[in-house]
């Protein structure tokens, strides 16, 4: 469970209903995950942009599409996109939620990626967030 905002991670809403009883919980657990993430992935941070939230929302949808994610929910008024990413070869399902909010002149983009099954992800969730950031920002 990797998030650009570990203090207030984006919540799964629709995706939470897709998780089975034996899947990892959709909730962000206070089990030391944030501390472990900060140590392992210090670059995974909120994306700050100067474009309007509506423009960023469209760009985020385009980035998710470019990454081949299945869009599960698209809520522009809430600034929330939920999707499922399927890993190559093995076909594991991982869930992603994107939160877009305006703060002053900035638009903040937070992304959370969580594996449905298993205890480790071999860095896949962090890599997914990094790739999304590159596609979204062009850098």
């Amino acid at each position: 469970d990797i998030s650009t905002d570990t203090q207030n991670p984006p919540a799964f809403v629709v995706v939470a209903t897709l998780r089975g009883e034996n899947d990892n919980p959709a909730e962000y657990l206070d089990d030391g995950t944030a501390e472990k993430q900060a140590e392992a992935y210090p670059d995974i941070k909120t994306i700050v942009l100067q474009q309007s939230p509506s423009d960023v929302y469209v760009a985020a949808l385009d980035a998710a599409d470019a990454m081949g994610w299945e869009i599960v929910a698209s809520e522009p008024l809430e600034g929330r996109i939920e999707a499922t990413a399927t890993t190559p070869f093995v076909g594991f399902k991982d869930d992603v939620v994107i939160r877009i909010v305006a703060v002053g002149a900035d638009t903040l983009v937070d992304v959370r990626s969580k594996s449905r099954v298993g205890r480790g992800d071999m860095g896949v969730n962090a890599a997914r967030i990094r790739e999304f950031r590159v596609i979204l920002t062009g850098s």
Side-chain angles (χ1 to χ4, degrees):
D1 194 353
I2 303 297
S3 178
T4 57
D5 182 350
T6 58
Q7 300 305 306
N8 181 27
F12 293 112
V13 178
V14 177
V15 161
T17 67
L18 302 178
R19 288 179 168 248
E21 120 182 6
N22 295 322
D23 289 344
N24 291 322
E27 296 78 22
Y28 190 83
L29 302 177
D30 185 15
D31 62 354
T33 297
E35 293 79 12
K36 291 174 193 169
Q37 177 186 316
E39 215 173 277
Y41 311 115
D43 61 309
I44 303 292
K45 303 264 186 220
T46 298
I47 303 163
V48 181
L49 301 170
Q50 275 65 57
Q51 294 92 350
S52 72
S54 59
D55 287 346
V56 171
Y57 192 90
V58 169
L61 272 176
D62 289 346
D65 184 56
M67 293 185 69
W69 300 347
E70 175 190 347
I71 304 300
V72 175
S74 176
E75 299 292 341
L77 295 178
E78 295 177 27
R80 180 174 42 85
I81 300 166
E82 294 183 69
T84 298
T86 304
T87 62
F89 307 115
V90 183
F92 288 128
K93 301 283 186 190
D94 297 336
D95 294 314
V96 182
V97 58
I98 302 163
R99 178 180 63 207
I100 300 164
V101 297
V103 176
D106 294 330
T107 298
L108 307 183
V109 181
D110 283 300
V111 184
R112 180 175 168 213
S113 182
K114 184 170 186 172
S115 304
R116 282 193 193 174
V117 298
R119 300 212 25 99
D121 71 350
M122 306 295 283
V124 170
N125 288 304
R128 180 176 295 119
I129 291 172
R130 286 182 184 122
E131 183 180 354
F132 174 83
R133 180 180 59 216
V134 167
I135 293 171
L136 181 66
T137 65
S139 60

